């Protein structure tokens, strides 16, 4: 093609699902089994009536509906509903006019935020600014860094601490160039929740080096312990950081309310960042439809459906985790809807391929969710299982995985694994 395009597009990595498609190409899965997909983390419980009904009603309302251009900042009613939710959930008081901004889910906001924060000309020496992210991680962080003209830096994680990021291992010269840090708590893929002392360390680093922290919290409402996951706003408030300096939190209805198709979330935190983000989004054109805003406000105000949703996940994880623990290195995560399981033999790619071929179950090789650093890929040897389908289907999948591992002849390594980094 001769059209001159943004060369940074060439630096984007194939998305994990593209790599999975390439891995499975040419395989005809065993026709004795119906397909079960644990590869994609798309919520599949039904969207609750409280949200669906509000959306129907909103479309009919003359002041809502589809006949008006929405404002980038959203309606006061939605921002207030979001702030009330933060108050109930985290005990943190926000000013809905300056510290809250609706977004179209968290993915686009994670990406767009880098456009606001990163100045690609930041360093006269020609050094690129750095965006630090966990490893393994949600791939949007990397794409956001690359397209903003920054260099992603993959922070080492510690398998012995359930892949918690070891921030101490990030060198001072990296922090000195860091402009943005993505944290993910509860984490995808590990489900690990960051404790208060980890937040304290990160805030201290942000104070010293001046970088922005973007805290991705879209799994916060699906948890398996008695105490709900700590949020970054809550951690900041507990540490006396009441203006949330350089902190922005991203959350979403996709998982909390089983509404990935609604495209609704919000960001909250530092008023200066929110103001700049609102300006950026005015030009980007990412305002939320008023009808979607009205449905979203109804969803944020209701906790009954969230409790019911959590109960479904708890039941599922209680049943499935011990079954899989018979054959895989797996345990109940703190939160989220993934199991992050070590596979026998340690070859996640070969495991996923053979499981698909023999039992028609799709799982995601862990190395597709991480990057090689120093010749080591922290996702290697693990697979991510998204327990998003109904219980029966997940039970069937678990049963097949147990049979697969027990029956396993040594798993053959495919002759060439496409798209290995
Ligand atoms: C860690 C993480 N962040 C953000 C998202 C984006 O979700 P949404 O845009 O639906 O809010 C996902 C989706 O799977 C995710 O896993």
């Amino acid at each position: 093609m001769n059209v001159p395009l943004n060369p940074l597009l060439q630096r984007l990595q194939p998305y994990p699902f593209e790599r999975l498609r390439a891995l499975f190409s040419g395989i005809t899965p065993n026709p004795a089994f119906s397909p079960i997909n644990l590869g994609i983390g798309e919520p599949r419980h039904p969207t609750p009536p409280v949200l669906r009904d509000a959306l129907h009603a909103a479309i009919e309302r003359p002041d809502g509906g589809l006949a008006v251009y929405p404002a980038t900042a959203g309606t006061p009613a939605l921002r207030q509903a979001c702030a009330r939710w933060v108050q109930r959930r985290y005990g943190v008081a926000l000013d809905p006019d300056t510290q809250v901004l609706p977004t179209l889910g968290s993915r686009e906001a994670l990406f767009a935020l880098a456009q606001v924060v990163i100045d690609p000309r930041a360093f006269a020496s020609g050094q690129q600014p750095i965006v630090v992210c966990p490893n393994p991680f949600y791939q949007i962080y990397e794409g956001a860094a690359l397209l903003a003209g920054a260099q992603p830096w993959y922070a080492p994680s510690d398998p012995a601490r359930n892949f918690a990021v070891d921030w101490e291992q990030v060198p001072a010269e990296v922090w000195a160039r860091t402009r943005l840090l993505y944290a993910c708590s509860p984490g995808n893929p590990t489900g690990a929740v960051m404790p208060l002392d980890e937040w304290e360390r990160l805030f201290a680093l942000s104070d010293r080096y001046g970088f922005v922290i973007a805290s991705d919290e879209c799994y916060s409402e699906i948890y398996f312990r008695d105490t709900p996951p700590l949020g970054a706003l809550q951690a900041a408030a507990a540490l006396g950081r009441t203006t949330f300096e350089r902190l922005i939190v991203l959350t979403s209805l996709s998982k909390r309310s089983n509404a990935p198709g609604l495209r609704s979330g919000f960001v909250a935190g530092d008023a200066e960042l929110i103001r700049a983000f609102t300006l950026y989004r005015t030009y980007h054109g990412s305002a939320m439809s008023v009808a979607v805003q009205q449905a979203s406000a109804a969803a944020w105000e209701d906790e009954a459906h969230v409790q019911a949703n959590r109960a479904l996940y708890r039941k599922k994880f209680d049943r499935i985790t011990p079954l899989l623990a018979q054959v895989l290195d797996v345990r109940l995560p703190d939160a989220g809807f993934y199991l992050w399981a070590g596979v026998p033999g340690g070859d996640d790619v070969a495991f996923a391929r053979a499981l698909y071929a023999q039992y028609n179950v799709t799982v995601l090789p862990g190395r597709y969710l991480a990057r090689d650093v120093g010749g080591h890929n922290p996702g290697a040897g693990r697979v991510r299982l998204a327990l998003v389908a109904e219980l029966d289907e997940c039970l069937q999948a678990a049963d097949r995985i147990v049979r697969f591992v027990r029956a396993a002849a040594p798993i053959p390594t495919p002759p060439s694994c496409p798209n290995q980094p």
Side-chain angles (χ1 to χ4, degrees):
M1 180 162 55
N2 288 327
V3 186
L5 297 174
N6 183 344
L8 295 175
L9 285 166
Q10 302 294 330
R11 298 188 56 204
L12 295 176
Q13 299 286 317
Y15 216 59
F17 307 115
E18 255 176 87
R19 298 176 67 186
L20 197 60
R21 264 194 302 278
L23 179 71
F24 289 172
S25 76
I27 300 178
T28 306
N30 186 342
F33 295 102
S34 59
I36 300 184
N37 191 344
L38 307 182
I40 298 185
E42 179 181 37
R44 303 232 306 265
H45 298 167
T47 310
V50 66
L51 198 161
R52 294 205 317 267
D53 293 350
L55 187 59
H56 282 137
I59 285 188
E60 303 304 333
R61 280 171 58 161
D63 65 331
L66 306 175
V68 288
Y69 272 120
T72 303
T75 58
L78 174 58
R79 291 197 308 273
Q80 284 157 15
C82 297
R84 277 195 292 271
W85 178 76
V86 170
Q87 174 78 63
R88 285 195 306 276
R89 171 66 172 80
Y90 296 114
V92 170
L94 294 176
D95 176 353
D97 292 333
T98 59
Q99 293 178 313
V100 177
L101 178 64
T103 60
L104 308 185
S106 45
R107 179 182 181 140
E108 62 91 2
L110 285 162
F111 178 84
L113 185 66
Q115 300 290 323
V116 175
V117 171
I118 302 296
D119 175 357
R121 311 151 311 165
F123 298 99
S125 57
Q127 288 180 317
Q128 280 178 297
I130 285 177
V131 173
V132 172
C133 66
N135 194 23
F137 62 104
Y138 179 52
Q139 193 161 314
I140 297 303
Y141 311 151
E142 181 189 61
L146 291 170
L147 283 186
Q151 177 190 329
W153 205 90
Y154 310 102
S157 53
D158 183 358
R161 291 188 301 128
N162 194 19
F163 293 84
V165 178
D166 192 352
W167 305 109
E168 307 307 326
Q169 280 195 49
V170 181
E173 58 273 23
V174 168
W175 286 131
R177 281 167 54 202
T178 300
R179 285 293 175 264
L180 176 62
L181 177 147
Y182 287 107
C184 187
S185 176
N188 172 4
T190 63
V193 171
M194 283 169 55
L196 186 63
D197 61 345
E198 195 170 338
W199 282 113
E200 193 170 14
R201 266 202 301 283
L202 276 189
F203 293 145
L205 287 162
S206 163
D207 286 347
R208 185 162 350 133
Y209 295 101
F211 58 79
V212 168
I213 299 176
S215 177
D216 180 356
E217 302 184 1
C218 66
Y219 293 97
S220 66
E221 302 316 289
I222 303 168
Y223 54 86
F224 304 101
R225 317 271 176 232
D226 294 338
T227 320
L230 179 71
L233 294 172
Q234 193 181 10
L239 296 165
R241 305 171 67 88
T242 47
T243 58
F244 313 112
E245 215 179 357
R246 279 173 265 102
L247 173 65
I248 192 159
V249 164
L250 303 96
T251 191
S252 160
L253 290 175
S254 300
K255 280 90 176 161
R256 173 187 181 272
S257 300
N258 292 311
L262 189 69
R263 308 315 302 135
S264 178
F266 69 90
V267 296
D270 184 326
E272 206 181 311
L273 281 171
I274 301 278
R275 191 165 50 242
F277 205 14
T278 310
L279 171 67
Y280 171 84
R281 298 172 71 75
T282 306
Y283 283 83
H284 191 79
S286 42
M288 185 187 292
S289 153
V290 175
V292 172
Q293 291 191 55
Q294 288 174 356
S296 303
W300 288 115
E301 297 284 18
D302 182 74
E303 281 305 313
H305 76 278
V306 185
Q307 284 154 9
N309 187 39
R310 192 158 50 238
L312 282 179
Y313 279 112
R314 284 186 167 189
K315 186 166 167 206
K316 214 168 9 183
F317 275 71
D318 276 354
R319 296 279 303 276
I320 307 290
T321 315
L323 291 176
L324 290 175
Q326 300 171 64
V327 295
L328 302 177
D329 171 19
V330 69
R331 63 190 166 111
L332 188 69
D334 296 334
F337 53 47
Y338 302 110
L339 290 176
W340 179 237
V343 299
D347 187 337
D348 49 312
V349 170
F351 181 94
R353 202 169 189 271
L355 178 66
Y356 178 67
Q358 293 172 32
Y359 285 91
N360 210 350
V361 174
T362 300
V363 298
L364 195 61
R367 76 182 66 179
Y368 291 1
L369 295 163
R371 293 285 172 260
D372 284 25
V373 176
H376 169 68
N377 184 312
R382 300 206 157 243
V383 291
R384 193 189 74 178
L385 309 140
L387 299 191
V388 286
E390 298 297 342
L391 175 63
D392 280 355
E393 199 175 310
C394 291
L395 280 169
Q396 265 187 57
D399 176 60
R400 290 186 209 173
I401 292 172
V402 171
R403 282 155 64 189
F404 168 69
V405 176
R406 290 214 166 121
I411 299 164
T413 304
S416 72
C417 296
N419 288 326
Q420 297 283 5

